Amino acid sequence: METVDLAVTSRRDLNARLHALPGHTNETLWRVENPGGQHALAVGLTASVTVEIAGHAGYYCAGMNQQATVVIEGNAGVGVAENMMSGRVHVKGDASQAAGATAHGGLLVIEGNAAARCGISMKGIDIVVKGSIGPMSAFMAQSGTLVVLGDAGEALGDSIYEARLYVRGTVASLGADCVEKPMWPEHLTELRALLDAAGVDASVDPASFKRYGSARTLYNFHVDNAAAY
């Protein structure tokens, strides 16, 4: 294990060392101590390594991630896993706004709650939140999956495209063009796989969730829908 203490090493040096790793490195396990809520930790990783952050992380932790596994043993600030392409990001605490924003792939797991705009403009990522999410989550979500075991705030899925939303708790309100949809067997199968991947207890029944998605009324302009744009 490579251990980096941010009380004595700069964030820039940490990221530079991680960026310099070759694709098939033997240095596959890194531990970052005393993160102190610093921003942009473990960003832009392209090697198949695991980075454990022993505490809270600031803005944009694990942004632009590719292939790596980043574990945050605390809370994460704005934009955790923003624009992630692949790999896995695991937040063991709560996440601030815009978790997984614009992300194209990979899996983001949040053990606690996520604030507003979780999954905003998501483009293929899978997000599993074991707590609740704030308002305007999945705004303009294009593809991918958002799973919420708790409740969802106002305007869920506003202006959504083809992302799939599964919520087990109460939804405060749905955004423009977002509607509840039936749960077919393929959705139950997909949801079960995501719950398993996120380490959710097997006793959680996929049938206890509701599915939400696009009504597809805003794809093309129609004067009857003008008020919804």
Side-chain angles (χ1 to χ4, degrees):
M1 179 190 295
E2 294 287 328
T3 301
V4 179
D5 188 347
L6 291 185
V8 296
T9 302
S10 73
R11 175 193 61 205
R12 184 182 294 271
D13 287 343
L14 166 66
N15 285 336
R17 289 180 64 185
L18 292 171
H19 293 165
L21 293 172
H24 299 287
T25 179
N26 291 325
E27 299 174 285
T28 57
L29 180 57
W30 292 68
R31 187 162 180 83
V32 180
E33 297 182 344
N34 296 307
Q38 292 192 54
H39 304 320
L41 295 174
V43 296
L45 304 187
T46 58
S48 298
V49 298
T50 297
V51 179
E52 300 173 346
I53 298 175
H56 304 310
Y59 294 2
Y60 302 114
C61 182
M64 300 179 290
N65 187 57
Q66 295 185 52
Q67 302 187 56
T69 296
V70 180
V71 180
I72 303 165
E73 298 173 357
N75 301 325
V78 173
V80 63
E82 181 265 346
N83 206 36
M84 179 163 71
M85 298 295 172
S86 60
R88 180 186 177 102
V89 177
H90 188 169
V91 181
K92 294 194 173 181
D94 297 323
S96 187
Q97 298 187 51
T102 74
H104 290 248
L107 174 64
L108 169 62
V109 178
I110 300 170
E111 295 285 340
N113 301 314
R117 294 176 171 83
C118 178
I120 183 173
S121 194
M122 53 192 283
K123 297 177 174 67
I125 187 175
D126 293 320
I127 303 174
V128 179
V129 180
K130 298 184 182 180
S132 298
I133 58 174
M136 293 296 292
S137 290
F139 171 62
M140 293 188 70
Q142 296 166 38
S143 65
T145 309
L146 172 61
V147 179
V148 182
L149 277 74
D151 301 327
E154 296 84 359
L156 175 68
D158 190 87
S159 303
I160 190 173
Y161 288 86
E162 292 303 316
R164 298 173 302 282
L165 315 179
Y166 299 102
V167 181
R168 193 182 189 204
T170 300
V171 175
S173 65
L174 296 175
D177 208 41
C178 186
V179 296
E180 184 179 345
K181 295 193 168 187
M183 289 280 279
W184 301 116
E186 60 265 31
H187 303 124
L188 296 173
T189 300
E190 174 186 56
L191 184 51
R192 178 75 271 163
L194 284 172
L195 293 172
D196 290 344
V200 175
D201 191 280
S203 64
V204 175
D205 185 0
S208 63
F209 289 75
K210 292 182 178 180
R211 181 171 74 99
Y212 303 91
S214 175
R216 301 187 179 96
T217 60
L218 302 183
Y219 273 30
N220 299 289
F221 179 80
H222 192 286
V223 67
D224 291 343
N225 300 323
Y229 289 97

